Amino acid sequence: NAGVTQTPKFRVLKTGQSMTLLCAQDMNHEYMYWYRQDPGMGLRLIHYSVGEGTTAKGEVPDGYNVSRLKKKQNFLLGLESAAPSQTSVYFCASGQTASTDTQYFGPGTRLTVL
Amino acid sequence: QKEVEQDPGPLSVPEGAIVSLNCTYSNSAFQYFMWYRQYSRKGPELLMYTYSSGNKEDGRFTAQVDKSSKYISLFIRDSQPSDSATYLCASDSGGGADGLTFGKGTHLIIQP
């Protein structure tokens, strides 16, 4: 039981490049989330999903797109044209219930955009 | 104004001391309150979870929620150097699946 895993762990991009971050969970959770964590800002929600094929915007969605795959344990975060403002640590989380009583986090992806 | 406020610290205490970490929140709809611990360059891990007001104890950790004053606390007894980490409080109304509202985190240092 690996919990929540994220790929890759580190990445450096140039401005304008694109990339996809992958999150996978093996707990059969319905709800999955992408957060970014910046110094002095705390964790902020980018997008989330309440089940296979569903996604919704969070607090800071601009510049990102997401997809929840048919194999519902996977949740992708895409950056179509990376900007230096997207330099951050990205965390994926999953939860079992709609009441959001608990969320389990992955180890994070450290992204630098030059 | 962020809905959950937390002093970023750092908070430095000697080993064995009782640690008190605190948050305030502004959204009266919040019913679920959590504390996460985050070690450097790691993901947050759930430490304590409380529903509504009251206390919850788990080993050396006690979480306390006072909804009348919108105050959330985490107490750590007999603090250890391994407790050195950033502690994040988080809240949610439970009305949907739209994520948690986090404080910015308090950096705690336990001096051996």
Side-chain angles (χ1 to χ4, degrees):
Chain A
N1 186 341
V4 179
T5 58
Q6 292 182 234
T7 309
K9 289 185 170 54
F10 305 94
R11 186 71 184 269
V12 178
L13 290 179
K14 294 181 180 179
T15 297
Q17 287 185 316
S18 64
M19 78 162 294
T20 300
L21 283 69
L22 170 65
C23 176
Q25 51 97 359
D26 60 4
M27 297 171 281
N28 205 31
H29 286 166
E30 288 291 332
Y31 306 95
M32 297 186 74
Y33 309 84
W34 277 107
Y35 291 89
R36 58 178 290 174
Q37 187 175 39
D38 302 290
M41 298 296 292
L43 281 158
R44 293 181 292 169
L45 183 66
I46 304 171
H47 285 281
Y48 64 98
S49 168
V50 300
E52 176 185 323
T54 71
T55 62
K57 294 180 180 179
E59 181 185 355
V60 289
D62 294 341
Y64 305 95
N65 57 77
V66 288
S67 59
R68 184 78 178 272
L69 303 185
K70 284 188 176 181
K71 187 177 179 182
K72 67 177 182 181
Q73 290 92 341
N74 294 330
F75 192 31
L76 307 181
L77 178 70
L79 287 74
E80 290 186 347
S81 179
S85 61
Q86 293 178 305
T87 294
S88 187
V89 182
Y90 292 86
F91 288 102
C92 176
S94 70
Q96 192 167 11
T97 65
S99 62
T100 324
D101 51 354
T102 55
Q103 287 186 16
Y104 299 91
F105 282 79
T109 294
R110 194 169 294 269
L111 175 66
T112 301
V113 183
L114 303 175
Chain B
Q1 180 185 2
K2 197 168 173 61
E3 289 189 292
V4 177
E5 298 287 345
Q6 188 175 9
D7 187 334
L11 175 64
S12 183
V13 301
E15 182 177 355
I18 296 175
V19 176
S20 174
L21 301 168
N22 307 292
C23 290
T24 58
Y25 65 94
S26 57
N27 189 338
S28 299
F30 285 158
Q31 298 186 75
Y32 298 87
F33 305 92
M34 283 134 275
W35 283 96
Y36 284 83
R37 179 174 61 194
Q38 186 176 23
Y39 292 113
S40 180
R41 295 184 173 261
K42 301 290 186 182
E45 57 176 325
L46 183 66
L47 197 59
M48 299 287 285
Y49 158 71
T50 309
Y51 171 71
S52 193
S53 283
N55 293 357
K56 186 172 184 178
E57 188 174 321
D58 184 1
R60 295 184 296 111
F61 299 90
T62 299
Q64 192 172 81
V65 177
D66 182 347
K67 292 191 72 179
S68 63
S69 60
K70 296 188 177 68
Y71 204 77
I72 312 164
S73 300
L74 178 70
F75 300 97
I76 307 174
R77 292 182 299 280
D78 188 23
S79 56
Q80 306 293 312
S82 59
D83 295 328
S84 298
T86 296
Y87 289 80
L88 305 163
C89 61
S91 300
D92 186 65
S93 62
D98 56 349
L100 300 172
T101 301
F102 283 88
K104 294 180 182 179
T106 298
H107 182 45
L108 174 65
I109 301 168
I110 307 297
Q111 301 166 336

